[in-house]
Amino acid sequence: MPSDYDIVIVGAGILGLSCAYYLKKGNPGKTILVVDRFGDVAQGNSARSNAMFRNTFTSKDNLILSDTSIDFYLDTQKSGVDLGLKKSGYLWVMSEKQFSLNQRYIQKMLDNKIELRTYDNQDLRRMLPSLKREFGESEEAQLMKIPDVGGAAFGVKCGRLDPEKLSRFYSDNFLRLGGKVAFNTNVKSLIAGVDEPLGIEGEPFVWQEGKVTGILAEGEIKGEIKAKTVVIAAGVWNNELLDPIGIDGHVKAKKRQLFTVSAKRSPALQTLLRNGNFNELGVLPFVILPKSGCYVKAVEENSEFWLGCEDEFNRPYYSTPEETLDSCKAEPSYYEQSLYPILRSYFSEFENAKPAQMWAGYYSMNTLDSMPFVFEENGMIIAGGGSGSGIMKGDAMGRIVDAVYREGEHAEAMLYSGKSYAADRMSFKYRSVEREEWVI
Ligand SMILES: Cc1cc2nc3c(=O)[nH]c(=O)nc-3n(C[C@H](O)[C@H](O)[C@H](O)COP(=O)(O)OP(=O)(O)OC[C@H]3O[C@@H](n4cnc5c(N)ncnc54)[C@H](O)[C@@H]3O)c2cc1C
């Protein structure tokens, strides 16, 4: 392999690979290398993802990033590429208070032409009969402050996909265009150099234009690899490379866990899974319960549910997580004591259900506003901050990185469906993303 490239991309997750594809497509004459310390595509947090997608956002930035990405994924699958995509919908079940408070956000989304339906308790009784909506004097419900159900909102252009298939789609097309990928290659550090080196020992000096001039690699590729531009798409590991050269990566890692429950031996769970009232697939949509962001995902081909929860308080942040995800494990007690009591309160079908499998990964949280970013700094383009929605915005992010590469931070990126987007909205210097209000 050569040791000199126009662009080196660190990270072969969904984000790095989407960047790789659009950079190569937009700049066919440039030499581009993707490196990753794992042995295949999407083995980091992309592999551990719930991989749900939705366009139901109030923030116009979130909306355009997700909506155009989803359109691209839908059309790609329609063209014959299997992305494991299922448009099964999202159902937010809300307490009376949430339902009432969120009406203005629902209206805002409807005004923005987002396909969103609302259901009252009568509808829910008919469409999702086993959902418990009232808890009366139940001691447990009172202890846990489980609220009665007040209504629900259903997002139509929402569902799930297979992050590995999507990553492989980008990777295959990148390779087909002549890009190079090196797996099992760890980037030990970035090389801090200067724009115009003088060859004097001790460079870069403060009076010189400092820039990252490449990477120091170990593994299948070793030693110094020079690059005119380095794209950092290393997810929760961005800080590992950026901290040592004094650049703020703006991310912190937060653990998230998923648990599967098999429906194979439970007729009640089978009935819950096969619900024909919401989508053409005849399957239960992704259900978010009114308490603690607890959710249920139906995976009909495996006859199972994936279960999770969005815990924030007392769940630590990590600035630089360990190099692999080996010690990032799901906690059985989290299922038993936190998730399960909420779940079986709303769906008695889960009574005594034990997880068959469990795993954990990290959200790459942008703690400023939980929105993704793309910014330029000293010869690098740094992308990340997916904050739990990096898959659903992955296509748009790759296109934005390509636009920033060609035209700088003020580029007007052309997203799928011909929609344009001012890339500097996602930078830090000129940041102007609209905050998200649809947070239940
Ligand atoms: C449990 C869970 C549920 C989620 N649910 C959803 C969801 O429903 N919808 C959604 O859109 N998003 C979801 N996400 C978030 C989504 O998975 C991420 O935003 C997305 O996968 C991030 O992709 P990435 O390419 O930035 O990071 P990663 O997939 O982690 O890729 C980063 C890559 O960089 C490589 N790397 C890092 N440092 C180095 C180095 N020094 N040298 C070489 N290689 C390096 C790593 O090996 C890794 O492969 C979820 C995440 C988790 C953990």
Side-chain angles (χ1 to χ4, degrees):
M1 279 229 190
S3 59
D4 207 332
Y5 290 85
D6 291 309
I7 306 171
V8 167
I9 300 168
V10 186
I14 176 69
L15 185 52
L17 292 169
S18 167
C19 293
Y21 172 57
Y22 287 112
L23 281 164
K24 190 68 191 162
K25 196 172 169 215
N27 312 276
K30 302 287 179 188
T31 52
I32 307 182
L33 171 72
V34 176
V35 289
D36 200 294
R37 57 166 65 126
F38 289 129
D40 201 350
V41 301
Q43 296 302 297
N45 286 296
S46 296
R48 303 196 175 208
S49 180
N50 209 13
M52 299 301 301
F53 64 81
R54 62 176 166 121
N55 69 342
T56 44
F57 291 105
T58 57
S59 152
K60 66 175 171 211
D61 297 274
N62 273 340
L63 173 58
I64 191 167
L65 297 174
S66 62
D67 199 55
T68 57
S69 298
I70 296 166
D71 279 341
F72 180 75
Y73 303 154
L74 285 168
D75 285 352
T76 301
Q77 181 152 295
K78 226 182 269 169
S79 76
V81 183
D82 176 21
L83 298 180
L85 189 151
K86 315 257 177 177
K87 212 174 122 203
S88 43
Y90 265 50
L91 183 75
W92 283 270
V93 179
M94 287 176 260
S95 67
E96 281 167 19
K97 192 170 161 199
Q98 288 167 337
F99 198 48
S100 145
L101 283 174
N102 280 305
Q103 286 307 316
R104 50 197 277 239
Y105 302 129
I106 290 172
Q107 191 54 50
K108 190 168 173 182
M109 288 191 269
L110 290 172
D111 292 344
N112 284 331
K113 309 266 179 293
I114 295 171
E115 276 181 278
L116 193 67
R117 299 172 191 152
T118 50
Y119 300 126
D120 61 19
N121 267 330
Q122 300 258 22
D123 300 322
L124 287 173
R125 187 185 308 140
R126 186 173 40 83
M127 299 172 80
L128 192 51
S130 71
L131 173 76
K132 189 159 177 170
R133 296 178 311 277
E134 288 171 12
F135 295 91
E137 298 300 303
S138 155
E139 239 176 75
E140 191 186 62
Q142 282 183 5
L143 180 80
M144 289 167 54
K145 296 194 169 66
I146 300 268
D148 288 351
V149 172
F154 179 72
V156 177
K157 199 163 138 187
C158 308
R160 66 184 170 99
L161 54 74
D162 183 329
E164 204 186 311
K165 286 182 175 164
L166 177 61
S167 302
R168 207 164 293 288
F169 162 79
Y170 285 126
S171 163
D172 287 351
N173 282 291
F174 169 64
L175 292 170
R176 190 176 48 76
L177 294 172
K180 299 263 180 293
V181 182
F183 291 117
N184 299 309
T185 301
N186 182 43
V187 178
K188 268 170 77 174
S189 61
L190 300 169
I191 302 169
V194 286
D195 207 12
E196 292 168 25
L198 300 170
I200 306 171
E201 210 184 319
E203 287 182 296
F205 303 112
V206 76
W207 40 266
Q208 287 176 304
E209 188 84 36
K211 78 175 282 234
V212 166
T213 55
I215 57 168
L216 189 59
E218 58 182 1
E220 272 179 27
I221 298 187
K222 292 181 188 61
E224 284 194 13
I225 299 170
K226 290 207 172 109
K228 293 189 185 73
T229 303
V230 175
V231 174
I232 307 290
V236 294
W237 296 280
N238 273 4
N239 297 338
E240 191 188 309
L241 296 171
L242 296 172
D243 278 356
I245 56 164
I247 289 174
D248 191 349
H250 297 282
V251 285
K252 283 185 180 168
K254 192 168 268 230
K255 185 161 117 177
R256 288 286 185 252
Q257 312 177 46
L258 286 165
F259 301 84
T260 73
V261 161
S262 174
K264 283 188 184 129
R265 295 215 180 96
S266 161
L269 285 174
Q270 289 277 0
T271 309
L272 180 65
L273 191 97
R274 302 270 165 207
N275 182 312
N277 295 324
F278 292 93
N279 51 49
E280 288 172 1
L281 301 168
V283 66
L284 184 77
F286 185 62
V287 178
I288 301 107
L289 293 168
K291 184 74 186 171
S292 309
C294 178
Y295 56 77
V296 180
K297 164 179 170 175
V299 181
E300 66 274 23
E301 64 274 22
N302 299 342
S303 196
E304 68 186 15
F305 293 97
W306 291 18
L307 312 163
C309 207
E310 303 272 295
D311 57 331
E312 296 298 346
F313 180 66
N314 210 21
R315 176 65 60 194
Y317 274 130
Y318 302 100
S319 235
T320 37
E322 72 282 11
E323 282 189 16
T324 65
L325 291 168
D326 294 350
S327 65
C328 180
K329 291 193 171 20
E331 302 144 26
S333 63
Y334 181 72
Y335 173 81
E336 286 151 19
Q337 295 170 342
S338 287
L339 189 50
Y340 171 69
I342 301 175
L343 199 63
R344 67 118 194 261
S345 299
Y346 286 102
F347 290 114
S348 62
E349 294 92 328
F350 284 101
E351 191 71 45
N352 296 323
K354 299 266 178 283
Q357 283 180 297
M358 59 184 91
W359 64 91
Y362 292 115
Y363 273 14
S364 160
M365 296 299 298
N366 167 7
T367 51
L368 180 69
D369 52 26
S370 303
M371 312 263 287
F373 53 74
V374 174
F375 64 102
E376 279 187 309
E377 197 85 61
N378 301 81
M380 293 176 290
I381 300 174
I382 301 158
S387 310
S389 55
I391 306 251
M392 64 182 93
K393 296 170 190 163
D395 188 76
M397 297 272 291
R399 291 171 195 260
I400 292 166
V401 166
D402 169 51
V404 169
Y405 173 74
R406 281 183 288 111
E407 294 167 35
E409 272 186 348
H410 293 299
E412 202 61 30
M414 198 50 74
L415 305 184
Y416 191 63
S417 321
K419 288 187 181 142
S420 74
Y421 182 77
D424 56 11
R425 293 178 70 85
M426 284 177 84
S427 69
F428 281 102
K429 247 182 251 159
Y430 313 100
R431 196 162 185 82
S432 60
V433 289
E434 203 174 279
R435 272 184 179 270
E436 184 54 50
E437 292 154 319
W438 183 246
V439 186
I440 301 178

